[in-house]
Amino acid sequence: MKSGELPSLLLLPPPPRPAGPLELSAAYRPTLESVISRLKECKASDGSTLIIALPSPVLSGQFRRHKSLAWPEQQSILAGMYSLVSVVCAQLQVATEVDGGPGSVDARVVLIDHDATKRIAEDFKLAIEPNNTVIVDLATFVAAYHPWKQIFSASTEAGHEQLSTYLRMYEGMQVLNQDQLIKVDGGLTLNKESLDSIPTSLTTTPHSVVCLGGTFDHLHPGHKLLLTAAILLLKVPDEGSAEPCSFVVGITGDELLKNKKYAEFVQPWEDRAMSVIDFLSSMLELQKQGWKAGAAERKITKKDGEITALFRSDTISVTCVQIQDAFGPTITQQNMDALVVSGETRSGGAAVNAKRIELGWHPLQIFEVDVLSAEEITDEPTKTENFASKISSTSIRKMRADSHM
């Protein structure tokens, strides 16, 4: 997390069941509108950072170090949340990209493994206890994510229960004034399915090396969805393991972007790479001293065309590689397991595997992330068009160009 203005927390109640676009909109849109409207008034030079915490029973598994998840379901929820954030920001005319300037809101969705139906013991001890995934439980989230500028919660029964549990665990972490705890409008959650009635999904096999690629110019909700969904696939080793799990992000080099529209407003490669690393720190950094310690102690190494950051006691490695073609490290590094694509770039995944087979290498397992969409959230076509314009790097560059005219 970048230094400067503290981030704010939006603590949401558990998602509805099922968690489709309409259900997520009914449950969370009023809350997001209230929070983003307030943060829009912040005139800090870099805008506001908002961590949207979504606690729900994400992981399965009896033992702490052997957890698994159903990736298709969780990436779908992430896509629904980032779509909803983008629609609300488009409606309120709020910039959504990282470092979007005064009045912008850099929203980051963090999944937390927490079952609200299970009571937390009165004598529990707060500690950071990561498992073999990047997702943490509520106690670990409380211990590592602090301090906050403000804490927002929904003014519903479920929202009140979630906040009460959180504040009981957060006691002693930060002295909070009453005006830092803000209740906002809550939505309507209709659970048509109970947890017991939902069929157990096939769990997703985690991977030691996961990769993806893109330009990541002016990091926006589409990029955030792709990065967040991809790191859910990582198999995190035990502390002290010889090799960390590896997340490889191919980022298009500056030379290939010279002919882009409004190319003069494309961010330099290193800025784009560092923005990716900073964003991922929201999910990967776990320091009991909070944000300040995380940024200060982050291990980063740089060499020509490559930046690597280590997280969680060196168990997770994030490497941003400058790429000059459509394949990047997928055809120069054999020991990769999984490639994450969006619906718009699935043909690129097929091309990568064809090339790897040519080289005599094993093909990568392809995971496809949903494309952000306003469909089923609103029936007003003008809102959909406005939404689309807000999550395009080209449109962001155009707006910056217009502001300089």
Side-chain angles (χ1 to χ4, degrees):
M1 188 70 63
K2 291 183 179 179
S3 58
E5 189 97 357
L6 285 175
S8 293
L9 169 66
L10 170 55
L11 186 65
L12 291 174
R17 301 185 297 273
L22 283 173
E23 291 82 5
L24 288 172
S25 181
Y28 299 137
R29 183 163 183 167
T31 305
L32 287 169
E33 288 176 343
S34 297
V35 173
I36 292 171
S37 293
R38 287 173 178 263
L39 294 180
K40 180 182 179 181
E41 302 306 314
C42 174
K43 300 307 177 186
S45 60
D46 292 338
S48 300
T49 300
L50 177 67
I51 302 296
I52 301 174
L54 190 60
S56 62
V58 178
L59 302 177
S60 58
Q62 187 176 0
F63 303 104
R64 182 177 65 82
R65 281 296 309 174
H66 299 282
K67 298 293 185 181
S68 59
L69 76 158
W71 186 83
E73 293 177 12
Q74 300 310 320
Q75 74 82 23
S76 179
I77 290 175
L78 285 169
M81 291 302 300
Y82 274 118
S83 293
L84 192 53
V85 166
S86 300
V87 168
V88 169
C89 286
Q91 171 197 339
L92 297 174
Q93 298 185 316
V94 171
T96 59
E97 70 269 23
V98 173
D99 294 337
S104 65
V105 178
D106 171 11
R108 308 178 178 199
V109 181
V110 177
L111 298 177
I112 300 171
D113 185 43
H114 175 65
D115 187 348
T117 65
K118 294 182 179 178
R119 188 172 177 275
I120 296 173
E122 293 290 339
D123 59 348
F124 81 96
K125 293 182 179 180
L126 202 60
I128 293 177
E129 295 187 346
N131 52 56
N132 57 298
T133 78
V134 300
I135 295 173
V136 297
D137 60 19
L138 184 59
T140 297
F141 178 82
V142 170
Y145 286 61
H146 62 86
W148 302 106
K149 180 181 179 182
Q150 299 165 311
I151 297 177
F152 298 95
S153 62
S155 57
T156 60
E157 183 177 351
H160 175 73
E161 290 177 0
Q162 193 75 78
L163 179 64
S164 296
T165 299
Y166 175 83
L167 290 179
R168 182 161 64 88
M169 300 174 78
Y170 196 65
E171 187 176 357
M173 300 297 295
Q174 176 186 359
V175 177
L176 292 166
N177 299 323
Q178 196 59 42
D179 60 0
Q180 290 177 277
L181 299 173
I182 304 172
K183 291 285 186 73
V184 294
D185 295 338
L188 179 64
T189 300
L190 294 175
N191 290 323
K192 301 174 185 176
E193 302 171 328
S194 68
L195 286 173
D196 293 336
S197 68
I198 300 175
T200 302
S201 302
L202 292 175
T203 57
T204 304
T205 301
H207 295 276
S208 296
V209 184
V210 177
C211 62
L212 56 78
T215 61
F216 299 102
D217 182 40
H218 298 289
L219 201 77
H220 58 61
H223 299 138
K224 295 174 184 179
L225 166 62
L226 189 64
L227 290 165
T228 306
I231 61 171
L232 297 185
L233 293 167
L234 286 172
K235 181 181 180 181
V236 183
D238 289 328
E239 185 176 338
S241 297
E243 290 290 334
C245 64
S246 180
F247 185 49
V248 182
V249 186
I251 302 179
T252 310
D254 295 337
E255 192 66 27
L256 291 183
L257 301 178
K258 284 186 175 180
N259 295 323
K260 285 277 189 182
K261 288 184 178 180
Y262 312 102
E264 65 272 28
F265 291 95
V266 172
Q267 295 174 304
W269 182 86
E270 184 167 329
D271 289 356
R272 289 182 278 131
M274 291 304 297
S275 186
V276 165
I277 288 171
D278 171 71
F279 172 75
L280 289 172
S281 73
S282 304
M283 279 67 69
L284 301 182
E285 233 159 35
L286 295 179
Q287 297 280 352
K288 64 181 181 180
Q289 293 87 4
W291 312 121
K292 186 176 180 180
E297 297 178 16
R298 195 178 301 161
K299 297 180 181 178
I300 294 179
T301 57
K302 298 181 181 180
K303 58 184 180 181
D304 189 31
E306 187 173 301
I307 299 176
T308 298
L310 294 173
F311 297 96
R312 298 195 189 182
S313 302
D314 301 350
T315 59
I316 302 174
S317 168
V318 174
T319 301
C320 294
V321 181
Q322 186 172 163
I323 58 176
Q324 305 296 347
D325 56 42
F327 301 102
T330 60
I331 61 168
T332 60
Q333 185 176 331
Q334 185 175 1
N335 64 327
M336 288 186 169
D337 305 317
L339 175 65
V340 180
V341 300
S342 70
E344 297 168 329
T345 59
R346 67 168 68 97
S347 60
V352 163
N353 274 342
K355 196 74 173 175
R356 286 179 65 89
I357 290 170
E358 273 184 38
L359 294 168
W361 296 354
H362 68 273
L364 302 176
Q365 186 172 355
I366 305 294
F367 291 86
E368 186 175 316
V369 177
D370 292 348
V371 176
L372 293 191
S373 173
E375 298 300 324
E376 298 186 61
I377 295 177
T378 174
D379 56 4
E380 300 177 46
T382 54
K383 292 286 178 61
T384 303
E385 292 164 9
N386 196 18
F387 162 88
S389 74
K390 295 291 185 180
I391 58 168
S392 159
S393 293
T394 301
S395 294
I396 292 169
R397 293 196 299 272
K398 179 181 184 302
M399 286 186 284
R400 297 196 172 206
D402 291 345
S403 70
H404 282 72
M405 293 177 65

